[in-house]
Amino acid sequence: YAWDANEEYLFKAMVAFAMRRYSSKSTTQISNVLLCNVTDRVSFWFVVTDSSKNVTTVPGSEVEAAIRMNRNRINNAFLLSDKTLQFLKITSTLSPPVEPSTPVWLIVFGVVLCLIVAGIVFLVISGIRKHKKKNKESTERENLEEKVEVTLENGIPCEVLDIKAGHVNGVFAADDERFTSL
Amino acid sequence: LSAAPEIPKEDGRPKWDNKFQYILSCIGFAVGLGNVWRFPYLCQIHGGGAFLIPYFIALIFEGIPLLHLELALGQYLRKGSIGAWNTISPYLRGIGVASWMVSILISLYYNTVLTWVMWYFINSFQEPLPWSVCPLNENRTGFNEECHESTAVNYFWYRKTLNITPDIAESGRFQWWLILCLAACWAIVYLCTIRGIETTGKAIYVTAIFPYLVLTIFLIQGLTLPGATEGLIYLFTPNLSTLKNPRVWLDAATQIFFSLSLGFGGLIAFASYNPTKNDCEKDAVTVAIVNSMTSLYASIPVFSVLGFKATTAYWDCLDRNIINIINEFDLPEESIMRQNYTSWISFLNSSYPEKIAGLKLKSCDLQEFLDQSVSGTGLAFIVFTQAIILMPGSQAWAILFFIMLFSLGLSSMFGNIEGVFTPLLELQIVPKSAPKELLSGIICLISFLIALCFTLGSGSYWIDIFDRYASSVPLLVIAFFEVTGVVYIYKIKRFSKGVEWMTGRKLNLYWQITWRFISPLLLLIVFTAFVTLQMQKPPSYAAWNPKYEGFPMKEEKVYPAWVQAICVLLAALPCVCLPLAALFHLVKQKCRSKDPSFVPPEAFSCQRANI
């Protein structure tokens, strides 16, 4: 927006408003605020007079304090910020950064660590299970081989007994009870 | 003398699920953080596009032959580094031991760099990014002094992350946040290497491919940023006169050598899990070319972003000057723009020279901003993070960038750990009945405990020392003895017969020439030049000292004597293993030959060496 007489009027109004709020006197009028040396750069000097006290100017420190108190409102009235609307000799108080109760990074770290630990536990347990299954399989295989050997090496191989002519005592052994049941 | 190895088909050795996993693991091992933060820097300071000439010459005559040698060795002998060199010749066992020690030393400090990356990653979820604003001082009237004098990015790196001490002799305290991140990093490494290549083979699909995705995203984004073209032009404009400087050739040779991760024993370990009938020649050429292409590909987004950062800094400089001039001369707003700044300045200088001099304007030169070249951790944690703040949607870019760095480093860690793990597995330190998970757990736990000393206040100075001394000289020595050992002790005729059997075709003349003469000669030259350059000036380091007069410039300090002794120890310890192991074997032979009852083991060693 362009800077014209209406904007100057608004500025005078804001300064008057700031003075009223600061000193709680409702005597400051727009006519009390005087602008001078307005340049194209849009920079100017201004003073605030006190009509109740014989047209003297209000001390600069009071004006500074008033403006500092209401800086936010003045900025917003002109849609500007501390950087774009500069009052010489009035530094802005810096707002502290917002600190959440637990630092954010600790939360993220907790999430990451939980995932890692879950992964490790899963892999270790699956490894142990695989190990156990392999052990069980190998012992089962060993047992099977033993059974096969037993039937072959039981003194005389049983097949040889069948081939040789011999009498099988029917009293002691029935066909299907040749091997002791396990 | 048969060339076929007497290796049974089913020897219970773990193997890769498929060829792609193996190639990807080798590429992941070779492609690491150095491709992103060292190669672009070297390109920039050594004349841009002209640097590619010595780089590719070094690749052809040094990189590819050495890579092929290591892969062929591991694949042929099917053993890790210690076992493989023992098989070549028991006197050369020292090479394997040296590789193993170097892998340990490097794993220790490399994972600490990943700790820093992880710390930045978990801090990237905040709004605003913690390295973009300075914290306030105690009475809230202004910013923290150390931060105000340097930049917010520097402050976050040196104070909030490292909490660095002003001198290496002052150890400072343990930084608990770094210990947490270090524990998490070693836990991730354990998770991925828990069962050796069974688990790393699955993890590598993610960690090796993801960086390329992110680099592409950064490439597209980087090219759209203002000032990217300036950065790229600056990077690639060839300046052929730099080639006259021998330093450029040395840097190219060392960059190729360290970039391909040669001499660690990790490549031998990876190749040993291959089936023997595998074309290792093609693999070597593939891995080397992919590694170099990745370096080139990574330098494009890096330099787009750096160009963007330099342009933004240049514009800021101009804007500050413009504001000062406008305030001084009370000119209307927007009368001086960046485009007509120079004409205005010359006009004002001629009409009101005293006023202009009184303003003390900083001279803004884009070249000067582009010339501020950084490599290593400075590039990632200071320069790049500053550039990320300026991009829209900075959290997302920061998260992507740090995950990419983490993946790059993690895939290299797999190779390092494999270089430690495989020889230990073969030496059967842990009884065979104990699960592999136990050995990898022990390695990770011990490494974590030792690496805790890098989380002290002076930790980053120590990491610089490890980087400069433990990972440079020993590797050159190991590689030199690797080539000469295979070519002249094992005899290249025997080895080439083995390679022919594996690949199915006769060994090319190129390999014969490079293995026999060019590579050993080149390594010798590089080694002597490197050591000479190091010896020329007393080893010094740049310390971050807030009380220094020239702060925020870093203070140049010389290492104290005890630190220099440690540097020499780090460089010499792996190298000393070579003659020590040979001597040890010689003594053992002499003792055995004196004992008549003992069957001379020469028969065995002859047989084993005759594979």
Side-chain angles (χ1 to χ4, degrees):
Chain A
Y1 52 82
W3 187 262
D4 54 10
N6 297 328
E7 305 289 342
E8 282 185 23
Y9 191 80
L10 179 58
F11 184 79
K12 291 187 200 174
M14 290 308 294
V15 174
F17 162 75
M19 292 305 300
R20 285 197 187 198
R21 275 193 90 200
Y22 175 69
S23 50
S24 326
K25 300 187 285 202
S26 30
T27 51
T28 325
Q29 304 290 329
I30 290 181
S31 48
N32 286 113
V33 184
L34 308 165
L35 306 182
C36 32
N37 284 2
V38 184
T39 61
D40 277 340
R41 164 86 181 88
V42 196
S43 70
F44 45 82
W45 294 95
F46 68 94
V47 287
V48 182
T49 57
D50 199 344
S51 43
S52 61
K53 288 199 185 125
N54 290 346
V55 200
T56 48
T57 51
V58 178
S61 47
E62 269 190 53
V63 182
E64 273 176 32
I67 294 195
R68 189 177 268 141
M69 198 175 94
N70 298 291
R71 190 65 188 273
N72 202 25
R73 303 293 298 271
I74 301 179
N75 283 350
N76 281 331
F78 291 97
L79 305 172
L80 294 171
S81 66
D82 276 2
K83 282 216 183 89
T84 35
L85 176 61
Q86 253 184 326
F87 287 91
L88 294 176
K89 284 192 246 164
I90 301 182
T91 51
S92 38
T93 46
L94 304 156
S95 59
V98 178
E99 281 274 331
S101 48
T102 30
V104 176
W105 69 264
L106 210 54
I107 301 174
V108 180
F109 176 76
V111 168
V112 168
L113 201 63
C114 285
L115 288 172
I116 299 171
V117 169
I120 292 180
V121 165
F122 169 71
L123 280 178
V124 168
I125 290 184
S126 70
I128 293 178
R129 249 197 241 149
K130 223 194 286 180
H131 201 68
K132 272 202 195 131
K133 215 186 339 173
K134 220 196 297 180
N135 276 349
K136 205 162 53 155
E137 272 178 20
S138 59
T139 46
E140 276 180 14
R141 216 184 310 131
E142 279 172 28
N143 284 344
L144 211 61
E145 286 171 4
E146 277 175 25
K147 287 183 223 160
V148 173
E149 290 178 52
V150 160
T151 50
L152 282 177
E153 293 175 1
N154 205 354
I156 311 161
C158 301
E159 281 86 63
V160 178
L161 270 175
D162 286 326
I163 297 167
K164 279 192 180 154
H167 290 286
V168 176
N169 197 338
V171 178
F172 287 100
D175 260 279
D176 40 343
E177 280 177 16
R178 197 166 300 168
F179 307 118
T180 44
S181 56
L182 292 156
Chain B
L1 175 73
S2 75
E6 318 139 10
I7 301 153
K9 278 280 180 322
E10 286 299 319
D11 58 356
R13 197 175 177 75
K15 52 185 174 32
W16 299 105
D17 287 344
N18 49 52
K19 175 89 182 274
F20 185 58
Q21 228 180 48
Y22 161 64
I23 295 279
L24 214 57
S25 297
C26 289
I27 290 178
F29 185 29
V31 171
L33 296 168
N35 294 65
V36 169
W37 70 33
R38 181 119 176 103
F39 177 79
Y41 164 75
L42 286 177
C43 241
Q44 180 194 0
I45 62 169
H46 288 317
F51 180 69
L52 294 176
I53 298 177
Y55 184 73
F56 277 110
I57 291 181
L59 179 69
I60 293 175
F61 289 114
E62 187 195 346
I64 299 185
L66 286 171
L67 186 62
H68 185 205
L69 188 80
E70 287 210 4
L71 292 183
L73 198 71
Q75 195 175 293
Y76 191 44
L77 299 172
R78 306 201 89 219
K79 289 222 180 78
S81 57
I82 298 184
W85 288 105
N86 204 20
T87 315
I88 292 273
S89 158
Y91 290 101
L92 289 179
R93 193 189 306 159
I95 302 182
V97 178
S99 290
W100 181 77
M101 289 186 78
V102 169
S103 285
I104 293 181
L105 290 175
I106 293 190
S107 305
L108 286 176
Y109 89 81
Y110 205 79
N111 217 15
T112 315
V113 177
L114 288 186
T115 306
W116 297 336
V117 174
M118 168 167 273
W119 166 252
Y120 267 79
F121 166 69
I122 58 182
N123 269 297
S124 306
F125 287 87
Q126 287 176 358
E127 160 79 28
L129 289 170
W131 55 82
S132 59
V133 285
C134 269
L136 303 175
N137 56 16
E138 288 89 33
N139 45 9
R140 294 225 225 121
T141 51
F143 292 118
N144 180 304
E145 199 188 316
E146 186 184 347
C147 183
H148 190 62
E149 282 181 32
S150 58
T151 58
V153 183
N154 275 328
Y155 178 76
F156 187 74
W157 169 238
Y158 287 110
R159 191 55 50 210
K160 280 286 158 66
T161 307
L162 299 174
N163 201 5
I164 206 167
T165 55
D167 194 282
I168 194 172
E170 287 173 45
S171 298
R173 291 190 312 270
F174 285 104
Q175 318 305 329
W176 61 272
W177 57 90
L178 285 182
I179 296 183
L180 285 181
C181 292
L182 186 72
C185 281
W186 277 110
I188 293 182
V189 169
Y190 179 52
L191 174 70
C192 293
T193 58
I194 194 167
R195 282 191 223 126
I197 63 165
E198 275 176 57
T199 39
T200 60
K202 311 281 188 311
I204 200 81
Y205 285 119
V206 175
T207 59
I209 297 186
F210 186 72
Y212 288 97
L213 281 173
V214 176
L215 276 176
T216 314
I217 296 176
F218 264 100
L219 180 78
I220 300 173
Q221 210 265 353
L223 289 175
T224 61
L225 293 169
T229 30
E230 269 89 32
L232 285 175
I233 292 171
Y234 181 72
L235 169 70
F236 284 120
T237 324
N239 178 13
L240 289 167
S241 61
T242 54
L243 294 183
K244 294 193 212 112
N245 182 7
R247 190 67 203 265
V248 176
W249 295 86
L250 177 67
D251 276 342
T254 45
Q255 171 62 16
I256 268 290
F257 182 75
F258 298 132
S259 176
L260 284 171
S261 308
L262 298 165
F264 283 67
L267 287 168
I268 298 182
F270 279 157
S272 70
Y273 296 118
N274 262 343
T276 31
K277 286 272 201 183
N278 178 45
D279 193 347
C280 52
E281 186 181 332
K282 207 161 62 166
D283 296 341
V285 175
T286 311
V287 170
I289 291 189
V290 169
N291 179 51
S292 295
M293 288 300 126
T294 309
S295 292
L296 276 172
Y297 188 61
S299 46
I300 300 179
V302 167
F303 265 87
S304 316
V305 172
L306 288 182
F308 162 68
K309 177 177 174 298
T311 308
T312 326
Y314 173 63
W315 284 349
D316 277 344
C317 179
L318 279 182
D319 286 344
R320 253 180 289 132
N321 284 356
I322 290 175
I323 290 276
N324 281 341
I325 295 177
I326 288 184
N327 277 344
E328 179 72 16
F329 289 94
D330 271 336
L331 298 162
E333 196 75 39
E334 293 191 9
S335 53
I336 307 182
M337 300 296 287
R338 292 179 197 140
Q339 293 91 316
N340 50 17
Y341 172 77
T342 32
S343 49
W344 265 102
I345 266 282
S346 46
F347 165 68
L348 287 172
N349 229 348
S350 49
S351 5
Y352 309 97
E354 323 83 36
K355 265 196 175 177
I356 293 286
L359 280 177
K360 291 203 202 16
L361 297 172
K362 249 193 189 171
S363 71
C364 299
D365 182 18
L366 183 60
Q367 271 306 110
E368 195 188 308
F369 288 111
L370 282 171
D371 273 335
Q372 289 166 0
S373 50
V374 199
S375 82
T377 51
L379 178 71
F381 298 118
I382 298 180
V383 172
F384 226 78
T385 43
Q386 195 156 25
I388 285 179
I389 303 174
L390 304 164
M391 295 183 204
S394 8
Q395 275 87 7
W397 298 113
I399 293 173
L400 270 179
F401 178 63
F402 290 116
I403 294 190
M404 175 189 82
L405 284 187
F406 196 77
S407 313
L408 281 172
L410 195 63
S411 51
S412 300
M413 272 304 284
F414 292 160
N416 285 329
I417 293 286
E418 209 46 54
V420 178
F421 188 60
T422 308
L424 281 181
L425 209 60
E426 285 162 11
L427 285 176
Q428 290 178 359
I429 302 282
V430 183
K432 236 195 165 122
S433 55
K436 264 194 245 179
E437 290 91 332
L438 189 65
L439 181 62
S440 46
I442 293 176
I443 294 177
C444 289
L445 186 65
I446 295 181
S447 307
F448 165 66
L449 291 173
I450 300 180
L452 280 176
C453 61
F454 291 125
T455 57
L456 289 168
S458 53
S460 93
Y461 298 133
W462 285 106
I463 290 195
D464 273 334
I465 287 182
F466 268 68
D467 192 29
R468 266 197 267 175
Y469 296 102
S471 75
S472 53
V473 170
L475 286 175
L476 289 168
V477 171
I478 291 173
F480 175 72
F481 279 103
E482 276 187 1
V483 179
T484 43
V486 167
V487 168
Y488 296 109
I489 299 186
Y490 188 70
K491 296 287 187 286
I492 191 167
K493 279 207 170 52
R494 243 155 80 185
F495 191 67
S496 56
K497 276 213 181 71
V499 175
E500 276 176 45
W501 183 82
M502 288 196 294
T503 60
R505 49 174 188 277
K506 206 160 153 43
L507 206 62
N508 207 338
L509 190 65
Y510 161 69
W511 304 112
Q512 301 264 5
I513 299 181
T514 46
W515 281 350
R516 264 189 235 244
F517 311 114
I518 301 188
S519 296
L521 193 64
L522 216 59
L523 278 172
L524 202 61
I525 297 176
V526 169
F527 174 71
T528 27
F530 195 79
V531 172
T532 325
L533 263 162
Q534 294 278 15
M535 304 280 233
Q536 264 176 5
K537 46 181 169 63
S540 65
Y541 66 108
W544 179 262
N545 187 3
K547 298 200 175 52
Y548 178 52
E549 306 94 47
F551 189 75
M553 299 301 289
K554 292 216 204 142
E555 189 182 352
E556 283 287 326
K557 288 191 183 172
V558 177
Y559 286 126
W562 63 276
V563 173
Q564 289 193 27
I566 295 185
C567 298
V568 172
L569 194 72
L570 276 176
L573 203 62
C575 304
V576 133
C577 286
L578 282 112
L580 265 183
L583 207 67
F584 180 70
H585 184 76
L586 195 68
V587 167
K588 208 161 67 165
Q589 290 283 75
K590 286 244 159 71
C591 287
R592 283 204 182 146
S593 63
K594 288 203 178 112
D595 186 359
S597 59
F598 197 83
V599 177
E602 277 100 76
F604 293 127
S605 57
C606 277
Q607 251 184 18
R608 275 154 68 206
N610 275 352
I611 292 170

